[in-house]
Amino acid sequence: SKYSIAFSIFAGGNILLVLSSAILCAIFAPAAAGSGIPEVKAYLNGIDAPNILAPTTFIVKVLGSIGAVAGGLAVGKEGPLVHTGSCIASLLSQGGSKRYGLTWQWLRYFKNDRDRRDLVTCGAAAGVSAAFRAPVGGVLFALEEAASWWRSSLLWRAFFTSAIVAVTLRVALSSCKGDNCGVFGTGGLIMFDMGVISTETGLLELVPVIILGTSGGLLGAFYTFLSGKVLKTYANWHAKYGLFGKLFQAFLVALITSVLIFGLPWLGACTACPTGITHECPSNGLSGKYKQFTCQSGYYNDLASLLLNTNDNVIRNLFSTNTEGLYHYSSLAILLCSSFFLALITYGTAIPSGLFIPVIIIGAAYGRLVGWFVRSTTQLQTFDEGIYAYLGAASLLGGSMRMTVSVCVILLELTNNLLTLPPTMLVLLISKTLGDLFNHSVYDQILHIKGLPFLVEKPEPYMKHLTVMDVCSSPPMTLSAIERLGNIVEVLKSTDHNGFPVLEHSSEVPKLHGLILRSHLLVLLQKRESDYNSADFAKPGSGKSRRIEDIQLQTEQMNEYVDLRPYTNASPYTVVDNMSLAKAFSMFRQLGLRHLCVVSTTPKASPISGILTRHDFMPEHVLGLYPHLRANKWNRLHTKSSVSDVFVS
Amino acid sequence: SKYSIAFSIFAGGNILLVLSSAILCAIFAPAAAGSGIPEVKAYLNGIDAPNILAPTTFIVKVLGSIGAVAGGLAVGKEGPLVHTGSCIASLLSQGGSKRYGLTWQWLRYFKNDRDRRDLVTCGAAAGVSAAFRAPVGGVLFALEEAASWWRSSLLWRAFFTSAIVAVTLRVALSSCKGDNCGVFGTGGLIMFDMGVISTETGLLELVPVIILGTSGGLLGAFYTFLSGKVLKTYANWHAKYGLFGKLFQAFLVALITSVLIFGLPWLGACTACPTGITHECPSNGLSGKYKQFTCQSGYYNDLASLLLNTNDNVIRNLFSTNTEGLYHYSSLAILLCSSFFLALITYGTAIPSGLFIPVIIIGAAYGRLVGWFVRSTTQLQTFDEGIYAYLGAASLLGGSMRMTVSVCVILLELTNNLLTLPPTMLVLLISKTLGDLFNHSVYDQILHIKGLPFLVEKPEPYMKHLTVMDVCSSPPMTLSAIERLGNIVEVLKSTDHNGFPVLEHSSEVPKLHGLILRSHLLVLLQKRESDYNSADFAKPGSGKSRRIEDIQLQTEQMNEYVDLRPYTNASPYTVVDNMSLAKAFSMFRQLGLRHLCVVSTTPKASPISGILTRHDFMPEHVLGLYPHLRANKWNRLHTKSSVSDVFVS
């Protein structure tokens, strides 16, 4: 019949779009899969993972995200846009591409880690600003979730970026009236405008707010837990079946999604169009609040409006106010279950997929259900069903992503609903607090599953009971102030450390001159000139670092000597060897270090006892060395202040 | 006549209110004068100035602020509320008052500097939240302007506080309909609601935005400059004439203010009330958009509506939309000049006085003037005059206070005007950038004039050319690991340093054991027991520190010995003596230190070369030692990256 033809076209199109996205992603840039926010967060924490922000990742992310969103999957474009913004920032910070002769002189100012990180933070801010049309929310997202180090100059830079995004968006939207630019113009600067709502309420309103906050926190923690399980299973499958596994999985997800969003609306009933409404009813186009689907003229299928629609329109429909009973509770329940299921199976496939939109849909569906329940069983009629949906979305965002201020402002900018700010804040408070009792945020969990060595903000409590020497590996390999090139090559080949202490042997006891970086040694080996300028030592673009294997030296060159002192950092950060690990952790984290030298308080043969790197502070490493501390992990709530605390802090 | 009687009552009442506020302030708590925001900022930067957050300051701030605002002065209640919030937080963090038997056990968790600072930051957030009814703006203000160190847990705590404020406000407002609670209920949760405004605009709107931003930046810098001059003059007066000078000055300011706001409206013309308006016209009460003043029935005096009104109502009137020509340009010009003059002469008198409200009034007056000018001379009719006033206020806030995100969100929450966000951001961008070219923000300037040793975020560029030993004073006084009490008393009396290196003389070269604090030495001297618990070493409440003069020891006690090692911080932060001052500055600032030990790379007689404290990093100190670097201060724009930069950073 005509419906099976329609389904074939619908499902075929979807599968085609999703598969092309998956092919791009799996073959050219595996780093482009997923949301991208955890990866950006890791980069901003100081993790230099290859390809996170590479040009191919950028291109695949843009194209793949188009395929995934257009293919009807339960994914958003927000995470990918954050990643895209960061990629563009990273490309800019490399000063263009030397290979294609596109270099800009003024961009050389970004040739250091800190400015590059700042630029990437601004890119993330621009991504959120553009995705949600929420410029202030973008700044706050970048600072609260993405960045690991805050400075007021960074705030200022992110604000600058977002202001430019806001003005650009506004100018672009003013030339995109109606359907001029597809769905871009819909809603204008405020994507899900909720209009003017009466909120004459009293103390009793706190009851539904607390209900929503509590259940949002629980549901969010549950979602995070399940999503972690799914991610691990998927990662195992990908390792086992390779490219074919990834593509087949993407195909399956696309098929299941198409079947559900085309099949489930058959369960919905046809309702007569209400009178006196401004929206088209029934509608058949891309969008619409009252979808006709299989109903006769003058009737609409509410389940089709919620499922067979763009994600943005689903949210708009759920948030719509003064529409009590527009969506039957069974339709909402079906939407809730199907979107929860689809969100779970989709994230982890080899396509760019944002988490914001699915979480908002699940939360809004569930909030509207709660609203229907409260309004139909109790006397609490103060909140509109749309407000319930809105608060439900807030609660699930708080319960899964554990952000506060940024979610608050993003939602405000999405819906222009300032009067609901106090209940929104309360809902976020409750849901985040509850969620944090069970597990980490969904992004932190992805970071953990991907094995990225993310340095959290606070040291673990058991670190107070260890000193730095307890976790520091054996004495580091050292170099002499005037060193044979052959020795340097040998040292570099025998280890993958990135920093080497330089010792001076002029007096009877050797003296620590400073720390030299692997990358600078490689430059010295490669150029072997007497004169260098700062550009030689500038950090190369991401994924383009020099390697010792690429350097070939002749035997006579091997016997040359080089004075390392001019290229050594003569004042490295040092700590004494009896410092507590927790204190050293705070120093390492707050100063954003890569190497921290441990020196002895008592004179010894070697002036340096060890070098601490990020790896040494990872809980996995520490607990691997001292498994009996593992139980201590749960003592955080019970730690008591003792005399030693006063002196250590 | 009746007008002179009215004026006498008006001026008399104002002078009485202001004088009682000034008496309280000058006699009981001089620290309560002024805005309080710079002081809170200084405290959060680590400056332990006495009485900033003391109980008397708190009480005087509350009462004095009521007197100053009710006395009709050009001051706001926002700064004082921030200070009040911080005072309450500080009192809480001391765990109540021991003297009155009010102690709470659970509050002992705040007995360390960091948690106390966090609590005070939350207090500042609560102050802004309550003052502007802007909970998210409060969080951002606390983070952007008040706090010196950001952590995500601090964000979370500030958010928690603000959410509680928001819910409390909402509940309080829902029982304060109309005039139930005086002016508190006016406006509800949104103080200056601008209503729904059409903002169908294009690229051309950028022209007025740029004009407003530029002039706001210039005017803000000019205001900051003049205000600095006035503050210095006032400080000299206060030093010269003492209490009488302060009171006379307050009297004068109150008198001038009363004369101006009662006298200037006589210059205004009487206009016939417009038809078809919802506001009362003419009105005679406390508030009103159309004040009758001396006009006959059916007529109103627009200048009286702008001057003889509460500050909040003036702002409400200036921001009101769809009221083109309501205020004549001459009235706006008079308002601009008088409020600029009054704001300048008021800040610096011995009363609690916030800066936000006067700045908003000046900015709005000036913005509306620009709006009148643009609309009457050009074809640019896109913005309403109310929007001009709003953007003018934003530009002057940006140009004088140099905040970005927080001003943006506060204004948004004040006016519920989301669609104007992009131009607001642009205006703030331009005005802050321009203002920063001329001078520091008005709060930073007050900090500087008060001589508070505020540590800025970035080292000055000339600090790159100095090493830590260049600024470090002579070798510090040291103590032995096992020390005679008499020696300790002598050392403590001879210097006011707060940290002392403890040396061990067991081997032939003395070895640095660690650093002991003056406060801990005082506890040891006072108690002289063999056993201590952590509560003994807890920091006492503000303004209650122990002093060496209060400790009396007998001669035989003087000859007792004490082992200092258990009370010594055995792993102090150290830097090598050839580290650049800029690098040490960053470490000192980012870790929030009070002492930083300088150790030598080459073995010397003393294991410690010096101790760096906050004082050593102050530009005044450094430039005092090396006056030739002063010129370098202006080289910031011309610094070029060199080979050394790459290695140092």
Side-chain angles (χ1 to χ4, degrees):
Chain A
S1 71
K2 63 174 179 172
Y3 291 117
S4 44
I5 298 172
F7 175 72
S8 321
I9 297 173
F10 177 69
N14 283 350
I15 290 170
L16 205 71
L17 283 163
V18 173
L19 263 187
S20 41
S21 157
I23 289 172
L24 277 174
C25 213
I27 298 178
F28 297 106
S35 151
I37 292 176
E39 285 83 359
V40 172
K41 224 179 136 171
Y43 174 82
L44 293 175
N45 191 259
I47 300 169
D48 232 350
N51 300 324
I52 282 185
L53 302 175
T56 42
T57 312
F58 163 55
I59 296 166
V60 170
K61 196 93 191 187
V62 172
L63 297 178
S65 174
I66 294 173
V69 172
L73 294 193
V75 298
K77 60 183 189 300
E78 282 67 22
L81 268 171
V82 170
H83 197 168
T84 307
S86 305
C87 283
I88 295 177
S90 170
L91 289 179
L92 278 178
S93 77
Q94 293 172 24
S97 161
K98 265 191 198 147
R99 197 190 297 170
Y100 302 105
L102 291 165
T103 50
W104 296 291
Q105 262 304 304
W106 59 271
L107 286 172
R108 79 197 144 83
Y109 291 112
F110 298 109
K111 286 269 174 194
N112 71 62
D113 271 344
R114 178 187 297 187
D115 286 328
R116 209 173 266 184
R117 263 203 308 259
D118 275 11
L119 206 64
V120 171
T121 311
C122 292
V128 173
S129 304
F132 289 119
R133 300 180 193 171
V136 178
V139 176
L140 296 178
F141 172 85
L143 289 175
E144 185 178 1
E145 186 62 26
S148 288
W149 291 279
W150 291 353
R151 288 174 298 127
S152 59
S153 54
L154 178 58
L155 181 74
W156 166 235
R157 289 170 184 190
F159 185 80
F160 195 105
T161 316
S162 276
I164 305 296
V165 172
V167 172
T168 314
L169 260 181
R170 188 170 172 142
V171 171
L173 281 170
S174 73
S175 52
C176 273
K177 300 277 155 56
D179 292 339
N180 261 355
C181 320
V183 291
F184 175 70
T186 324
L189 211 56
I190 299 161
M191 285 178 78
F192 311 127
D193 201 337
M194 293 182 72
V196 180
I197 319 149
S198 112
T199 45
E200 288 294 320
T201 47
L203 258 178
L204 262 181
E205 74 180 9
L206 287 179
V207 178
V209 164
I210 291 169
I211 296 175
L212 279 170
T214 315
S215 12
L218 295 176
L219 194 66
F222 184 58
Y223 171 76
T224 308
F225 169 75
L226 286 183
S227 142
K229 295 277 170 218
V230 171
L231 266 179
K232 277 181 199 159
T233 319
Y234 277 15
N236 289 341
W237 285 355
H238 290 174
K240 208 165 165 186
Y241 301 107
L243 178 66
F244 172 76
K246 284 186 183 182
L247 296 185
F248 183 69
Q249 195 185 42
F251 166 77
L252 262 188
V253 167
L255 186 66
I256 295 174
T257 307
S258 301
V259 168
L260 282 185
I261 64 182
F262 194 90
L264 285 176
W266 296 86
L267 300 174
C270 286
T271 320
C273 282
T275 50
I277 48 169
T278 52
H279 286 81
E280 190 192 352
C281 178
S283 72
N284 275 308
L286 198 63
S287 60
K289 220 164 163 175
Y290 306 91
K291 284 260 180 178
Q292 187 169 8
F293 199 53
T294 57
C295 299
Q296 63 195 97
S297 171
Y299 285 79
Y300 72 97
N301 180 329
D302 65 339
L303 199 46
S305 318
L306 293 178
L307 283 166
L308 204 55
N309 217 333
T310 63
N311 286 332
D312 281 2
N313 275 318
V314 173
I315 297 175
R316 217 165 267 138
N317 290 344
L318 288 170
F319 280 4
S320 61
T321 46
N322 302 317
T323 51
E324 183 163 11
L326 170 62
Y327 302 112
H328 197 257
Y329 64 90
S330 62
S331 309
L332 290 171
I334 292 173
L335 172 68
L336 173 61
C337 297
S338 66
S339 54
F340 194 86
F341 172 71
L342 286 176
L344 272 181
I345 63 162
T346 309
Y347 196 88
T349 44
I351 48 159
S353 47
L355 277 173
F356 265 103
I357 294 292
V359 165
I360 291 179
I361 292 179
I362 300 170
Y366 137 87
R368 226 179 150 100
L369 258 184
V370 171
W372 163 81
F373 181 77
V374 170
R375 288 175 68 97
S376 61
T377 56
T378 69
Q379 297 296 311
L380 286 168
Q381 303 293 321
T382 47
F383 280 143
D384 191 280
E385 275 189 10
I387 298 281
Y388 274 101
Y390 169 83
L391 291 175
S395 76
L396 200 65
L397 284 171
S400 58
M401 304 193 174
R402 316 283 160 82
M403 290 183 266
T404 51
V405 188
S406 41
V407 165
C408 215
V409 174
I410 289 175
L411 282 175
L412 174 62
E413 291 184 295
L414 277 177
T415 61
N416 193 11
N417 186 7
L418 187 61
L419 283 169
T420 328
L421 192 59
T424 313
M425 292 178 87
L426 203 59
V427 152
L428 280 171
L429 253 189
I430 299 171
S431 64
K432 180 185 149 76
T433 313
L434 258 179
D436 276 342
L437 287 182
F438 293 99
N439 44 30
H440 289 292
S441 84
V442 65
Y443 292 132
D444 287 342
Q445 183 177 266
I446 296 170
L447 274 173
H448 190 77
I449 292 174
K450 292 208 163 192
L452 293 168
F454 190 84
L455 266 189
V456 294
E457 204 169 37
K458 273 178 80 176
E460 299 287 333
Y462 55 77
M463 290 188 180
K464 278 192 182 173
H465 308 298
L466 297 171
T467 71
V468 287
M469 283 314 289
D470 291 336
V471 299
C472 210
S473 40
S474 52
M477 294 208 199
T478 58
L479 295 171
S480 296
I482 295 174
E483 186 63 275
R484 226 182 109 250
L485 289 189
N487 276 355
I488 298 178
V489 171
E490 207 169 286
V491 165
L492 290 183
K493 279 193 175 153
S494 66
T495 171
D496 56 354
H497 287 174
N498 286 310
F500 301 92
V502 174
L503 302 189
E504 261 186 292
H505 296 279
S506 48
S507 55
E508 73 259 49
V509 280
K511 191 188 137 235
L512 177 67
H513 181 76
L515 195 74
I516 193 161
L517 296 182
R518 167 183 283 261
S519 57
H520 293 170
L521 285 173
L522 288 170
V523 173
L524 292 178
L525 288 177
Q526 201 169 35
K527 289 222 158 185
R528 292 187 311 283
E529 284 164 15
S530 57
D531 202 26
Y532 296 90
N533 66 46
S534 68
D536 292 332
F537 293 101
K539 195 171 177 165
S542 67
K544 285 190 282 183
S545 61
R546 297 178 187 85
R547 296 183 313 148
I548 181 68
E549 287 76 20
D550 304 339
I551 292 174
Q552 301 297 335
L553 290 184
Q554 321 268 294
T555 319
E556 63 263 37
Q557 288 170 334
M558 287 287 207
N559 285 323
E560 281 172 21
Y561 277 81
V562 60
D563 185 353
L564 294 178
R565 281 172 299 185
Y567 314 106
T568 301
N569 173 4
S571 51
Y573 291 104
T574 54
V575 293
V576 293
D577 54 5
N578 61 348
M579 188 179 272
S580 90
L581 189 61
K583 195 172 171 182
F585 180 98
S586 300
M587 179 172 170
F588 193 88
R589 174 66 170 74
Q590 280 172 47
L591 294 177
L593 304 182
R594 293 194 193 277
H595 302 100
L596 182 56
C597 301
V598 180
V599 295
S600 169
T601 45
T602 47
K604 277 184 191 169
S606 168
I608 183 157
S609 311
I611 293 187
L612 289 166
T613 62
R614 173 180 292 263
H615 168 74
D616 297 313
F617 291 107
M618 285 294 122
E620 292 77 16
H621 172 72
V622 178
L623 291 176
L625 290 173
Y626 303 97
H628 64 278
L629 291 173
R630 204 172 286 272
N632 239 321
K633 230 178 151 178
W634 300 98
N635 285 354
R636 194 188 282 245
L637 287 170
H638 311 289
T639 45
K640 286 188 178 166
S641 72
S642 64
V643 177
S644 70
D645 284 8
V646 174
F647 289 101
V648 168
S649 67
Chain B
S1 72
K2 63 174 180 172
Y3 292 116
S4 45
I5 297 171
F7 175 72
S8 320
I9 297 173
F10 177 70
N14 283 350
I15 291 171
L16 206 71
L17 283 163
V18 173
L19 263 187
S20 42
S21 158
I23 289 171
L24 277 175
C25 211
I27 297 179
F28 298 105
S35 151
I37 292 176
E39 284 84 358
V40 171
K41 222 179 138 172
Y43 174 82
L44 293 175
N45 191 258
I47 301 169
D48 232 351
N51 299 323
I52 283 186
L53 302 175
T56 43
T57 311
F58 162 56
I59 296 167
V60 170
K61 196 91 190 188
V62 173
L63 297 177
S65 175
I66 293 173
V69 172
L73 294 193
V75 299
K77 61 184 188 300
E78 283 67 21
L81 268 171
V82 169
H83 196 169
T84 307
S86 304
C87 283
I88 296 176
S90 169
L91 289 179
L92 278 178
S93 77
Q94 291 172 25
S97 160
K98 264 189 198 150
R99 198 191 295 171
Y100 303 104
L102 290 165
T103 50
W104 296 292
Q105 262 304 304
W106 59 270
L107 286 173
R108 78 197 145 82
Y109 290 111
F110 297 108
K111 286 270 174 193
N112 70 62
D113 270 345
R114 181 189 295 190
D115 285 328
R116 207 173 268 182
R117 262 202 310 257
D118 275 10
L119 206 64
V120 170
T121 311
C122 292
V128 173
S129 304
F132 289 120
R133 301 179 192 171
V136 178
V139 177
L140 296 179
F141 172 85
L143 290 175
E144 184 177 1
E145 186 63 24
S148 288
W149 291 278
W150 290 354
R151 288 175 297 130
S152 59
S153 55
L154 178 58
L155 182 74
W156 166 236
R157 289 169 185 192
F159 185 80
F160 193 105
T161 315
S162 277
I164 304 296
V165 172
V167 173
T168 314
L169 260 181
R170 188 171 171 142
V171 171
L173 281 170
S174 71
S175 53
C176 274
K177 300 276 154 58
D179 291 340
N180 261 357
C181 319
V183 291
F184 176 68
T186 325
L189 210 57
I190 298 161
M191 283 179 80
F192 311 128
D193 202 337
M194 293 181 74
V196 181
I197 320 150
S198 112
T199 45
E200 287 295 321
T201 47
L203 257 177
L204 262 182
E205 73 180 11
L206 287 179
V207 178
V209 164
I210 291 168
I211 296 176
L212 279 170
T214 314
S215 11
L218 295 176
L219 195 66
F222 184 59
Y223 171 78
T224 308
F225 169 77
L226 286 183
S227 144
K229 295 277 169 213
V230 171
L231 266 178
K232 277 180 198 158
T233 318
Y234 277 17
N236 289 341
W237 286 355
H238 292 172
K240 208 165 165 186
Y241 302 107
L243 178 66
F244 172 75
K246 285 188 181 178
L247 296 185
F248 184 68
Q249 195 185 43
F251 166 78
L252 263 188
V253 167
L255 185 67
I256 295 174
T257 307
S258 301
V259 168
L260 283 185
I261 63 182
F262 195 89
L264 284 177
W266 296 84
L267 300 175
C270 288
T271 319
C273 282
T275 50
I277 47 169
T278 51
H279 287 81
E280 190 191 353
C281 179
S283 72
N284 275 306
L286 198 62
S287 60
K289 217 163 162 177
Y290 306 92
K291 285 259 181 180
Q292 186 169 9
F293 199 54
T294 58
C295 299
Q296 64 195 96
S297 171
Y299 286 79
Y300 72 95
N301 181 329
D302 64 340
L303 200 47
S305 317
L306 293 179
L307 283 166
L308 205 54
N309 217 332
T310 62
N311 287 331
D312 282 2
N313 274 317
V314 174
I315 297 175
R316 218 165 267 138
N317 290 343
L318 288 170
F319 281 3
S320 60
T321 47
N322 303 317
T323 51
E324 183 164 8
L326 169 62
Y327 302 112
H328 197 259
Y329 65 90
S330 62
S331 308
L332 291 171
I334 292 173
L335 172 69
L336 174 61
C337 297
S338 65
S339 54
F340 194 86
F341 172 72
L342 286 177
L344 272 182
I345 64 161
T346 309
Y347 197 88
T349 45
I351 46 160
S353 46
L355 277 173
F356 266 104
I357 293 293
V359 166
I360 292 179
I361 291 180
I362 301 170
Y366 136 86
R368 227 177 148 101
L369 257 184
V370 171
W372 162 79
F373 181 77
V374 170
R375 287 175 68 98
S376 62
T377 58
T378 69
Q379 298 295 314
L380 286 167
Q381 304 292 322
T382 45
F383 281 143
D384 190 282
E385 275 189 10
I387 298 281
Y388 274 102
Y390 170 83
L391 291 175
S395 76
L396 200 64
L397 284 171
S400 57
M401 302 190 174
R402 317 284 159 81
M403 292 183 265
T404 51
V405 189
S406 41
V407 166
C408 217
V409 174
I410 288 175
L411 283 175
L412 174 61
E413 291 184 295
L414 276 177
T415 60
N416 194 8
N417 186 7
L418 187 60
L419 283 168
T420 326
L421 192 58
T424 313
M425 292 178 87
L426 202 60
V427 152
L428 280 171
L429 253 189
I430 299 172
S431 63
K432 181 185 147 76
T433 314
L434 258 180
D436 277 343
L437 287 183
F438 293 100
N439 43 31
H440 290 293
S441 84
V442 65
Y443 293 132
D444 287 343
Q445 182 176 266
I446 296 170
L447 274 174
H448 189 78
I449 292 175
K450 292 206 165 193
L452 294 167
F454 190 83
L455 265 190
V456 294
E457 204 169 38
K458 273 178 80 174
E460 300 286 333
Y462 55 77
M463 290 187 178
K464 277 192 183 170
H465 309 298
L466 297 171
T467 70
V468 286
M469 284 313 289
D470 291 335
V471 300
C472 210
S473 39
S474 51
M477 294 208 200
T478 58
L479 297 170
S480 296
I482 296 175
E483 187 61 275
R484 225 181 110 249
L485 288 189
N487 277 355
I488 298 177
V489 171
E490 208 170 286
V491 165
L492 290 182
K493 277 191 177 157
S494 67
T495 171
D496 56 355
H497 288 173
N498 286 312
F500 300 92
V502 174
L503 302 189
E504 262 186 291
H505 297 280
S506 49
S507 55
E508 73 259 48
V509 280
K511 191 187 137 233
L512 177 66
H513 181 76
L515 195 75
I516 192 159
L517 296 182
R518 166 182 283 263
S519 57
H520 294 170
L521 285 173
L522 288 170
V523 172
L524 293 178
L525 288 177
Q526 201 169 36
K527 289 220 157 185
R528 292 188 309 284
E529 285 164 13
S530 58
D531 201 26
Y532 297 89
N533 64 46
S534 69
D536 292 331
F537 293 100
K539 196 170 175 165
S542 66
K544 284 192 282 184
S545 61
R546 299 179 186 85
R547 294 183 314 147
I548 181 68
E549 287 77 19
D550 304 337
I551 292 174
Q552 301 297 334
L553 290 184
Q554 321 267 292
T555 319
E556 63 263 35
Q557 287 169 335
M558 285 290 208
N559 284 323
E560 282 172 20
Y561 277 80
V562 60
D563 185 352
L564 295 178
R565 281 172 299 186
Y567 315 106
T568 301
N569 172 4
S571 52
Y573 291 104
T574 54
V575 292
V576 292
D577 55 5
N578 61 349
M579 187 179 271
S580 89
L581 188 61
K583 195 170 171 184
F585 180 98
S586 301
M587 178 172 171
F588 192 88
R589 175 66 171 73
Q590 280 172 47
L591 294 177
L593 304 182
R594 291 192 194 280
H595 302 100
L596 182 56
C597 301
V598 180
V599 295
S600 170
T601 45
T602 46
K604 276 186 190 166
S606 168
I608 183 157
S609 311
I611 293 188
L612 288 166
T613 62
R614 172 181 292 264
H615 169 72
D616 298 312
F617 292 107
M618 285 294 121
E620 292 77 15
H621 172 71
V622 178
L623 291 176
L625 291 171
Y626 302 97
H628 65 279
L629 291 173
R630 205 172 287 273
N632 240 321
K633 229 177 154 179
W634 301 99
N635 286 355
R636 193 187 282 247
L637 287 170
H638 311 288
T639 45
K640 286 188 179 165
S641 72
S642 64
V643 177
S644 70
D645 285 8
V646 175
F647 290 101
V648 169
S649 67

